[in-house]
């Protein structure tokens, strides 16, 4: 395979998205776009992207606004600018890759965690043939109040301010499910080496700004709105994948709620929950099973 790095202008008109493209040596079966989650970057998907490329797919991913090497300097980490730009970036990059590499080829989208909310808001059957929402979450009744509180705090402190209080409200409960594991990020993966690598990575350990939390919750809220369930294309095949011990998906309950609502709305959806696994199912013992399930879905 050939792996290239490039810069692609963001929809915000300010930043250059750090993008990596994995091109198979032989015939290209299709295009595969990965959207990463909160507090991470595309390097963490390198193994998966290489595997998909080895199966004949031209793969690509970029660091989202406020993440990784897309920021102009590290002071911008955790500042997402605006959720609309993040959605536009996903759509625009896939359109560009289709023009460059994949005219007439099928195109697939995978979004993980926050990336799943971006992908859910971006999903367009004119761009992608199938979509995978990994580690996603269902409706949260606290979202409206959370957005109101963050708007107030932004007026008081500014968009770039940090808030340990908001962070505790968003993620404080994640540890409670893993009482037998003292690691504060036990919810991430069953594998301690994955957690150790995460906590030693500066592109994973930064704090979200008030702007970051506002846009995160906005994406989560929009992708679980009645409007989203109604208007997502009936013809677009959707695959929901998550660990049963993933707090983002409310330990399977939130993901199941998304699956049931899509079913009620007549959408083309399937779901698989991986028993005993946590938030990052691509970074766990179930990795090979997840990859095979994805390949089966897109093929």
């Amino acid at each position: 395979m050939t792996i290239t790095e490039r810069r692609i202008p963001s929809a915000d008109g300010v930043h250059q998205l750090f993008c990596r493209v994995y091109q198979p040596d032989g015939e290209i079966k299709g295009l595969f776009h990965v959207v990463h989650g909160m507090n991470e970057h595309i390097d963490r998907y390198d193994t998966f992207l290489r595997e998909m490329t080895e199966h004949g797919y031209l793969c690509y991913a970029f660091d989202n606004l406020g993440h990784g090497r897309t920021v102009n300097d590290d002071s911008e980490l955790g500042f997402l600018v605006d959720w609309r730009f993040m959605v536009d970036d996903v759509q625009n990059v896939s359109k560009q890759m289709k023009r460059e590499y994949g005219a007439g080829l099928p195109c697939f989208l995978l979004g993980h965690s926050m990336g799943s909310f971006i992908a859910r808001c971006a999903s367009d059957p004119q761009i992608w043939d199938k979509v995978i929402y990994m580690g996603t979450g269902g409706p949260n009744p606290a979202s409206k109040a959370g957005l109101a509180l963050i708007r107030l705090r932004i007026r008081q402190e500014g968009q770039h301010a940090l808030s340990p209080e908001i962070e505790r409200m968003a993620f404080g409960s994640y540890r409670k499910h893993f009482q037998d594991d003292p690691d504060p990020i036990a919810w991430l993966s069953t594998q301690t080496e994955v957690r150790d690598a995460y906590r030693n990575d500066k592109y994973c350990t930064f704090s979200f700004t008030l702007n970051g939390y506002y846009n995160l919750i906005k994406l989560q809220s929009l992708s679980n709105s009645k409007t989203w369930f109604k208007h997502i294309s009936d013809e677009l095949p959707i695959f929901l994948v998550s660990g049963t011990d993933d707090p983002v998906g409310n330990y399977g309950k939130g993901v199941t709620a998304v699956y049931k609502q899509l079913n009620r709305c007549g959408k083309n959806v399937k779901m698989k929950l991986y028993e005993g696994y946590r938030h990052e199912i691509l970074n766990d013992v179930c990795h090979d099973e997840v990859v095979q399930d994805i390949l089966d879905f897109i093929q």
Side-chain angles (χ1 to χ4, degrees):
M1 71 183 70
T2 302
I3 303 173
T4 56
E5 294 178 353
R6 57 195 296 186
R7 294 282 180 171
I8 298 176
S10 169
D12 76 343
V14 174
H15 293 89
Q16 296 288 317
L17 303 170
F18 176 78
C19 182
R20 189 174 288 130
V21 181
Y22 299 70
Q23 184 171 357
D25 292 334
E27 182 182 356
I28 299 174
K29 292 181 181 178
L31 278 60
F32 197 94
H33 185 170
V34 171
V35 187
H36 72 76
M38 176 185 182
N39 284 98
E40 60 165 353
H41 53 97
I42 60 172
D43 287 358
R44 302 187 74 240
Y45 293 81
D46 182 67
T47 297
F48 172 67
L49 291 164
R50 286 173 182 269
E51 289 173 329
M52 296 299 292
T53 305
E54 287 171 356
H55 281 90
Y57 296 94
L58 183 133
C59 298
Y60 50 97
F62 60 83
D63 289 340
N64 291 320
L65 288 170
H67 290 78
R69 282 164 284 185
T70 287
V71 300
N72 291 323
D73 60 70
D74 288 355
S75 69
E76 293 184 345
L77 290 169
F79 185 83
L80 306 188
V81 188
D82 190 285
W83 66 269
R84 297 173 187 85
F85 295 138
M86 302 181 82
V87 170
D88 287 346
D89 284 343
V90 170
Q91 293 181 331
N92 292 342
V93 169
S94 263
K95 288 177 182 178
Q96 180 171 335
M97 292 298 164
K98 290 182 78 169
R99 288 193 298 269
E100 293 184 19
Y101 299 103
L105 291 174
C107 191
F108 310 104
L109 176 66
L110 182 151
H112 170 69
S113 194
M114 181 186 77
S116 76
F117 299 132
I118 299 171
R120 286 167 67 179
C121 291
S123 294
D124 183 343
Q126 294 185 351
I127 305 174
W128 296 286
D129 293 85
K130 295 182 180 182
V131 295
I132 301 136
Y133 305 139
M134 175 181 289
T136 198
N140 187 338
S143 293
K144 186 175 181 179
L147 288 170
L149 173 61
I150 296 171
R151 280 195 295 266
L152 174 62
R153 296 291 292 273
I154 287 174
R155 286 197 295 270
Q156 295 171 338
E157 304 172 41
Q159 292 197 75
H160 289 84
L162 304 179
S163 175
E165 175 194 4
I166 298 295
E167 187 170 346
R168 283 194 301 272
M169 290 172 61
F171 302 109
S173 65
Y174 282 15
R175 295 179 62 180
K176 294 179 180 178
H177 188 76
F178 306 99
Q179 296 293 331
D180 59 339
D181 192 331
D183 189 342
I185 56 171
W187 58 273
L188 206 65
S189 170
T190 67
Q191 303 301 291
T192 56
E193 61 269 25
V194 170
R195 300 182 228 159
D196 289 341
Y198 184 93
R199 77 176 95 250
N200 291 319
D201 187 336
K202 75 170 185 175
Y203 289 134
C204 294
T205 53
F206 59 90
S207 295
F208 257 34
T209 62
L210 289 175
N211 162 277
Y213 277 112
Y214 179 84
N215 284 290
L216 170 65
I217 297 173
K218 188 70 174 178
L219 285 162
Q220 187 276 337
S221 180
L222 288 167
S223 61
N224 283 290
S225 66
K226 292 180 180 179
T227 300
W228 182 81
F229 283 106
K230 179 180 179 181
H231 290 293
I232 188 80
S233 172
D234 296 356
E235 305 304 319
L236 184 65
I238 298 168
F239 190 20
L240 301 169
V241 289
S242 181
T244 59
D245 282 352
D246 180 1
V248 175
N250 193 19
Y251 312 103
K253 297 176 184 176
V255 184
T256 300
V258 173
Y259 171 76
K260 288 181 176 179
Q261 184 61 22
L262 285 167
N263 253 328
R264 282 193 289 267
C265 292
K267 310 305 177 181
N268 184 355
V269 60
K270 61 181 292 188
M271 176 183 72
K272 182 168 180 178
L273 301 178
Y274 298 83
E275 187 66 37
Y277 293 104
R278 303 178 186 179
H279 187 51
E280 295 192 347
I281 53 177
L282 281 176
N283 291 325
D284 220 316
V285 178
C286 59
H287 171 94
D288 291 349
E289 182 182 359
V290 176
V291 173
Q292 188 59 55
D293 288 337
I294 290 169
L295 286 168
D296 291 344
F297 174 67
I298 65 174
Q299 290 172 351

